[in-house]
Amino acid sequence: MSNGIFKIPTPKNEPGNTYAPGTKERETLKTELNRQSDILVDIPVIINGENIKTDTVKQVVMPHDHQHVLANFSQAGEKELRDAVEAAMAAKESWANMPWEHRASIFLKAADLISGPYRDVMNAATMLGQSKTAYQTEIDAAQELADFLRFGVDYANQIYQIQPESVKNIWNRLEYRPLDGFVLAISPFNFTAIGGNLPSAPAIMGNVVVWKPATTALLSNYYFMRILEEAGLPKGVINFVPSRGSQVSEVVLTDPRMSGFHFTGSTSTFQTIWKTVGENIANYKSYPRLVGETGGKDFVFAHETAQADKVAAGLVRGAFEYQGQKCSAASRAYIPASMWEEVKAGVVEETAKLKVGDIQDFTNFMGAVIDKTAFDSITSYIDYAAASEEAEIIAGGTYDDSVGYFVQPTIIVTTNPNFKTMVEEIFGPVLTIYVYENDKLEETLTAVDTASMYALTGAIFAQDRQAIMHLERRLSGAAGNFYINDKPTGAVINQQPFGGSRGSGTNDKAGSVFNMIRWTSPRIIKENFTPTTEIAYPFMDAE
């Protein structure tokens, strides 16, 4: 036992680098980009700390140069998945019993490694493997990932200090145990930080994890796994199993010992997983905790008192940063007729300035979309709009996958508030705008609230305070993250905990105490210092 109540270092948001010309960080990052571009990484399955090669080997490529192979990786099959579960369960007792300060130290050290000596490694892997610009990558793979770890430790410490009242002769105390079995984490391609957080958050709380990373984010996720090992993570606590999602569902999701599921991905996938868990509920040894952040059809709503230039800037940045491949990206917008011409001129002019290409060219604002499947899906929406009488493409609309999966930033204007691209998630650089008549405010707000099954992020622009109050109230259920006079993207750990409801997930707010507490199974302990010998109670005495 510890002979002290230790104070966790107070976390602060990791400062970001600019990578402006002439800076040291720009020079070292470019050197690392060149190094990683020139090597071929061999990525194994990692189970119980052992590197395992399988007969199924696949490739990691650059989305912006899809003939350039960055890595070969072994894909886990049924045997490896079962072995990963067994390794996690074997590590469970010793990990849960590790003194809290030592468990915390591992993740605090990992955060310092990420923000320090491995910053360029993580950033370069994310840029090359996920086609992110230096700026977007710095926010993700350096700042947010380090923040997830440092604040995660702090949130755990806060939870442990939530204790019940005690009275004379009685000491009540709460023990925050890990869940009864293991946690399955399935992470997405678009944020290296999410890839790191989904297995780490449960592990910080003392859980053991089977982690299936996205194959299209495998390079950066693999380096993160190696950083955890260097930071001292014991074998078997997190098991790294690149694999097919369907096989994970068959083997791991239905294992009776699965006690938690941490997910970011598509709504349809999460719904299928929820259904599978429901069908197998009688087989589990506990009721699995299901925590998921899924899709979004995120909006920007401009009131007639908004400033047109601010609206235009918010739309362009919100829709096209990281090729619109953010769950929070602005995907639909509602602009009053009175300011439409000014907003239109602004978005068309600014969108035309955006350069699209290889992210190693730091003058590019956008890279490529993640893979061929995404490219085909996104461009099908563009083609649909181009052929429709209800829509007009006023910017972009072109694409080319001959070298990389490049889609030009595209703006569609529709006369139908329920047009296909206004209601369906696209997950690419496509923004659809509906122009509403100023006297149709309430009808348009209803459309904002009801057009989509999602409720992830949304933004309003207005100068009039009464209008802001009204919009905030009317759209209270439309977005879990709601922005006033700002784009609907860019949530920061400990500032804007992230998550939405309705079809967008369980709204457990990644990067907050609300998420961390889902990975505990509290036990109340009552200790009586002066136990009684009495049997009868005073009310039983005769009159």
Side-chain angles (χ1 to χ4, degrees):
M1 296 297 292
S2 301
N3 292 317
I5 299 174
F6 304 114
K7 180 177 173 59
I8 297 294
T10 301
K12 297 185 184 301
N13 291 113
E14 175 66 24
N17 291 326
T18 66
Y19 299 100
T23 59
K24 180 66 175 178
E25 64 261 20
R26 184 184 180 103
E27 177 186 341
T28 60
L29 178 57
K30 286 203 167 189
T31 299
E32 180 63 18
L33 285 166
N34 291 333
R35 187 190 74 82
Q36 290 194 27
S37 295
D38 290 340
I39 63 174
L40 184 65
V41 180
D42 185 17
I43 300 177
V45 175
I46 303 174
I47 298 172
N48 199 34
E50 302 299 323
N51 299 330
I52 298 169
K53 295 186 177 182
T54 68
D55 293 334
T56 304
V57 178
K58 297 195 172 184
Q59 295 179 329
V60 176
V61 302
M62 294 182 184
H64 46 277
D65 183 4
H66 48 60
Q67 297 305 304
H68 190 133
V69 180
L70 291 166
N72 293 320
F73 71 92
S74 289
Q75 186 176 78
E78 181 177 345
K79 179 185 183 303
E80 290 76 29
L81 291 171
R82 295 194 187 283
D83 288 346
V85 171
E86 297 305 324
M89 294 304 297
K92 180 174 177 59
E93 183 176 358
S94 62
W95 180 241
N97 290 330
M98 178 179 284
W100 157 236
E101 68 272 16
H102 290 282
R103 201 166 72 232
S105 294
I106 293 168
F107 296 99
L108 294 176
K109 181 175 180 177
D112 283 358
L113 291 172
I114 289 163
S115 59
Y118 289 103
R119 196 182 199 110
D120 286 339
V121 172
M122 291 298 294
N123 281 343
T126 300
M127 291 176 69
L128 297 174
Q130 291 142 266
S131 201
K132 281 199 172 185
T133 63
Y135 176 74
Q136 292 293 314
T137 295
E138 173 72 3
I139 293 169
D140 173 18
Q143 294 178 264
E144 187 170 79
L145 183 50
D147 284 353
F148 265 130
L149 298 175
R150 291 178 181 134
F151 282 101
V153 167
D154 188 63
Y155 295 141
N157 190 50
Q158 292 178 34
I159 290 169
Y160 292 154
Q161 293 182 60
I162 300 173
Q163 294 295 319
E165 287 294 317
S166 296
V167 296
K168 184 178 181 180
N169 301 327
I170 301 294
W171 186 14
N172 298 314
R173 50 192 187 267
L174 265 175
E175 175 189 45
Y176 293 90
R177 305 169 299 167
L179 304 182
D180 291 329
F182 69 91
V183 173
L184 170 61
I186 297 181
S187 58
F189 78 85
N190 57 335
F191 279 90
T192 299
I194 297 176
N197 180 59
L198 294 194
S200 295
I204 288 171
M205 301 306 296
N207 293 279
V208 290
V209 184
V210 175
W211 175 24
K212 180 213 167 302
T215 56
T216 41
L218 204 52
L219 186 61
S220 62
N221 288 188
Y222 170 67
Y223 282 125
F224 176 67
M225 185 67 192
R226 289 304 192 201
I227 288 170
L228 288 177
E229 291 178 330
E230 183 172 334
L233 186 73
K235 295 178 179 181
V237 172
I238 295 176
N239 299 278
F240 180 84
V241 285
S243 47
R244 290 189 296 112
S246 58
Q247 196 159 48
V248 172
S249 293
E250 293 168 7
V251 176
V252 184
L253 187 67
T254 58
D255 190 291
R257 296 164 292 181
M258 192 197 76
S259 57
F261 178 67
H262 206 188
F263 176 78
T264 296
S266 75
T267 298
S268 60
T269 299
F270 193 50
Q271 289 174 345
T272 299
I273 287 164
W274 199 291
K275 180 180 179 181
T276 301
V277 171
E279 290 171 345
N280 290 274
I281 198 66
N283 300 326
Y284 294 111
K285 294 184 178 180
S286 61
Y287 292 99
R289 307 280 178 88
L290 306 181
V291 176
E293 189 264 294
T294 58
K297 189 65 183 176
D298 310 300
F299 64 85
V300 172
F301 186 92
H303 185 260
E304 63 182 0
T305 64
Q307 296 172 316
D309 57 342
K310 307 296 193 306
V311 173
L315 288 173
V316 174
R317 276 193 171 181
F320 301 134
E321 287 180 330
Y322 191 43
Q323 299 81 266
Q325 295 176 127
K326 299 181 181 183
C327 300
S328 59
S331 184
R332 55 188 172 117
Y334 303 80
I335 309 298
S338 59
M339 71 168 58
W340 168 234
E341 291 304 321
E342 189 176 355
V343 171
K344 178 181 179 181
V347 295
V348 170
E349 179 184 356
E350 292 302 326
T351 301
K353 297 176 183 177
L354 304 182
K355 289 182 60 181
V356 180
D358 188 335
I359 46 75
Q360 293 183 82
D361 177 352
F362 282 24
T363 65
N364 286 324
F365 186 85
M366 289 169 48
V369 299
I370 194 65
D371 60 15
K372 177 65 172 174
T373 300
F375 178 87
D376 288 345
S377 175
I378 295 163
T379 56
S380 71
Y381 282 98
I382 295 174
D383 292 344
Y384 179 87
S388 174
E389 294 182 355
E390 293 184 314
E392 176 190 3
I393 296 175
I394 63 170
T398 59
Y399 45 83
D400 182 1
D401 66 347
S402 57
V403 176
Y405 302 112
F406 294 112
V407 179
Q408 293 297 316
T410 298
I411 300 176
I412 300 165
V413 179
T414 181
T415 56
N416 178 4
N418 293 309
F419 188 67
K420 183 182 179 75
T421 62
M422 286 289 286
V423 299
E424 296 183 13
E425 184 180 39
I426 300 174
F427 221 67
V430 180
L431 170 67
T432 305
I433 297 174
Y434 173 72
V435 181
Y436 70 93
E437 297 299 325
N438 289 43
D439 61 355
K440 301 292 185 183
L441 176 66
E442 295 305 320
E443 295 94 322
T444 309
L445 287 173
T446 298
V448 176
D449 193 37
T450 61
S452 165
M453 66 180 287
Y454 303 107
L456 189 53
T457 76
I460 61 169
F461 283 79
Q463 290 297 103
D464 180 83
R465 181 52 57 177
Q466 290 293 339
I468 291 172
M469 291 168 55
H470 179 65
L471 298 179
E472 181 181 348
R473 184 167 53 250
R474 281 283 271 115
L475 299 174
S476 63
N481 282 53
F482 190 78
Y483 298 80
I484 299 172
N485 291 319
D486 201 357
K487 59 185 174 65
T489 65
V492 177
I493 306 301
N494 201 48
Q495 296 184 36
Q496 300 95 27
F498 192 78
S501 58
R502 297 181 183 171
S504 292
T506 57
N507 204 13
D508 286 292
K509 296 300 184 191
S512 78
V513 71
F514 305 110
N515 179 281
M516 299 298 289
I517 206 165
R518 293 298 305 275
W519 310 115
T520 66
S521 182
R523 178 172 70 148
I524 187 70
I525 301 170
K526 173 187 176 182
E527 182 173 356
N528 190 338
F529 294 140
T530 57
T532 185
T533 58
E534 298 290 335
I535 303 298
Y537 290 94
F539 80 93
M540 300 170 63
D541 292 344
E543 294 288 345

